[in-house]
Amino acid sequence: MSAYNRVYNFSAGPSVLPLPVLEKVRDELLNYDGSGQSVMEMSHRSSEFKKIAQEAEQNLRELMNIPDNYKVLFLQGGGTLQFSMVPMNLLRNTKKADYVLTGTWAKKAYKEACRFGDIKVVASSEDDTFTWVPKIKKEDIREDADYVYITTNNTIYGTAYNYVPETGDIPLVADMSSNILSEPVDVSKFGIIWAGAQKNVGPAGMTIVIIREDLIGHAGEEVPAYLDYKIHADNDSMYNTPPCFAIYVAGEVFKHIKATGGLDAMQKRNREKAAKLYEYIDSSELYKCPVAKEDRSIMNVVFVTGNADLDKKFVAEAKAKGLVNLAGHRSIGGMRASIYNAMPMEGVEALIEFMKEFEAANK
Ligand SMILES: Cc1ncc(COP(=O)(O)O)c(C=O)c1O
């Protein structure tokens, strides 16, 4: 337990937020910056809110070093709506797109895209329960594909790309829902980067879309207004009422990341946390991480004891000690420790301490 009797929360999302941000939001909840109102009560057209949204975008641009020829959109509909918006906007020439299947979310994106065009699976690790990430080469991709789609971090299976696939002139689209802002990325290598907010960014309800300008404006006439990126780009994400409170909290998270050293420092901390946990798991006799070493996520660490009843006992006893949400996804069981940006090293150390005790007691 830490300040305010808060637990160490290993939830995969919505997940832990930085405490200083929560404290600031609390302090500003009833009267934001002398406006006499809560951000929850503010018109999205007010000068106060416009400033909040503009600053949030500017800080995200600085953090990720987003080039000027990319638009940043703050949308609703969760990550799931992007499974549809991407094909509806990007199947603009041949209506072909190539997908890499690395887990449940990639598969859902693929299935949704199949409703709109000629979609090919160019690589998959499904036969090995998604325990590794395929290496994609340019030759694997159809020359006339409208885009290539990847999921950079696979929240459920605990894998991550350790490289950016080379796709030449074909736009690369990446779902970064569970690792955005965890480390620096070269945005210019991507056509679209999108991410649901509820892991490293802020509360659920907002989706960030970073899109290269030439990919905007290709939705067909039949595409509903809300699902057309151009509508949002032309209206600075204010075509309709945006997720105001989520944008505000995300903006505070961006400021906090900047103030704590930006993405280089974040990457260093995240790597240290993950290395410590994986090192312990690999050295233990009870726990096993099924993921190929070179493809391990630094955000979601999955492990098992090999005995489903013991796994359940682990999760229950950990919870009693204030280490919560350690159950693996309902589809695969086992354990999963999501150690996103806001999980402090002390949380990881407390988890390892508990794992040692549990191992000693259950030999
Ligand atoms: C990698 C990834 N993509 C997409 C989604 C779906 O996001 P949402 O629940 O916001 O629709 C999730 C949810 O956890 C995810 O982890």
Side-chain angles (χ1 to χ4, degrees):
M1 301 264 181
S2 54
Y4 308 101
N5 280 340
R6 282 166 58 80
V7 291
Y8 287 121
N9 177 8
F10 296 92
S11 168
S15 28
V16 58
L17 288 170
L19 189 57
V21 170
L22 293 178
E23 288 173 326
K24 184 151 188 275
V25 169
R26 175 199 61 193
D27 293 346
E28 294 176 343
L29 195 67
L30 301 182
N31 184 348
Y32 174 79
D33 197 23
S35 69
Q37 312 151 56
S38 170
V39 177
M40 279 188 264
E41 303 169 303
M42 240 174 225
S43 163
H44 60 294
R45 308 277 176 211
S46 65
S47 55
E48 287 96 342
F49 185 74
K50 278 193 183 149
K51 187 163 169 261
I52 290 172
Q54 278 162 5
E55 274 182 15
E57 174 177 339
Q58 193 46 42
N59 283 327
L60 181 65
R61 283 186 174 277
E62 281 176 34
L63 276 173
M64 291 185 70
N65 202 10
I66 299 173
D68 288 344
N69 62 328
Y70 284 72
K71 289 275 189 208
V72 173
L73 310 176
F74 296 141
L75 307 182
Q76 303 192 52
T80 300
L81 192 59
Q82 294 312 305
F83 298 160
S84 322
M85 281 181 75
V86 165
M88 287 172 116
N89 285 267
L90 257 58
L91 289 172
R92 61 207 183 285
N93 299 313
T94 60
K95 306 230 175 286
K96 293 181 185 178
D98 289 356
Y99 276 60
V100 183
L101 300 195
T102 47
T104 308
W105 301 113
K107 250 178 104 173
K108 284 198 168 161
Y110 162 72
K111 281 197 183 139
E112 189 66 10
C114 287
R115 291 143 60 89
F116 302 103
D118 168 3
I119 313 299
K120 184 178 171 194
V121 174
V122 286
S124 170
S125 51
E126 187 166 17
D127 286 350
D128 293 318
T129 341
F130 297 121
T131 48
W132 53 279
V133 171
K135 293 276 173 299
I136 303 299
K137 296 186 294 296
K138 192 142 185 295
E139 306 83 84
D140 301 325
I141 298 162
R142 289 181 290 184
E143 272 176 16
D144 57 351
D146 279 339
Y147 65 94
V148 175
Y149 184 100
I150 63 169
T151 312
T152 50
N153 187 83
N154 299 280
T155 326
I156 296 176
Y157 295 93
T159 64
Y161 279 73
N162 57 21
Y163 72 106
V164 179
E166 183 47 63
T167 59
D169 290 339
I170 303 175
L172 180 62
V173 175
D175 171 359
M176 290 196 187
S177 291
S178 49
N179 68 343
I180 192 167
L181 296 175
S182 64
E183 54 190 0
V185 285
D186 181 351
V187 174
S188 71
K189 290 192 169 160
F190 298 86
I192 297 182
I193 290 171
W194 67 263
Q198 64 269 26
K199 296 148 193 325
N200 273 339
V201 175
M206 164 175 125
T207 311
I208 294 173
V209 176
I210 301 166
I211 179 167
R212 213 174 60 210
E213 278 170 355
D214 61 289
L215 299 175
I216 297 174
H218 303 289
E221 283 289 304
E222 72 292 354
V223 171
Y226 193 87
L227 305 186
D228 183 350
Y229 290 128
K230 186 166 176 2
I231 290 272
H232 298 290
D234 288 350
N235 290 280
D236 293 327
S237 300
M238 299 261 185
Y239 172 66
N240 68 330
T241 315
C244 302
F245 197 74
I247 291 173
Y248 154 65
V249 181
E252 293 302 321
V253 171
F254 301 154
K255 284 184 208 163
H256 177 72
I257 298 175
K258 271 180 70 177
T260 50
L263 296 192
D264 286 319
M266 189 62 83
Q267 178 182 48
K268 186 166 176 286
R269 287 193 295 271
N270 285 331
R271 284 189 174 171
E272 281 168 7
K273 286 186 290 176
K276 201 157 193 174
L277 188 49
Y278 283 121
E279 264 165 36
Y280 169 65
I281 292 169
D282 288 340
S283 71
S284 116
E285 287 185 8
L286 182 62
Y287 311 103
K288 233 180 83 168
C289 171
V291 176
K293 277 198 174 154
E294 66 277 17
D295 297 329
R296 287 177 174 178
S297 165
I298 57 170
M299 296 279 99
N300 311 98
V301 178
V302 299
F303 55 99
V304 291
T305 65
N307 172 338
D309 289 334
L310 201 54
D311 289 351
K312 283 205 187 84
K313 190 173 172 217
F314 178 96
V315 172
E317 289 186 14
K319 186 175 177 195
K321 299 231 155 158
L323 305 164
V324 308
N325 289 317
L326 281 163
H329 190 264
R330 60 187 188 279
S331 59
I332 61 165
M335 276 78 77
R336 170 177 52 178
S338 295
I339 50 172
Y340 294 121
N341 286 353
M343 172 60 65
M345 180 56 114
E346 295 78 55
V348 173
E349 285 166 351
L351 173 62
I352 294 172
E353 251 343 278
F354 170 73
M355 290 172 78
K356 285 182 183 164
E357 283 167 28
F358 187 84
E359 177 163 8
N362 292 277
K363 270 202 175 134

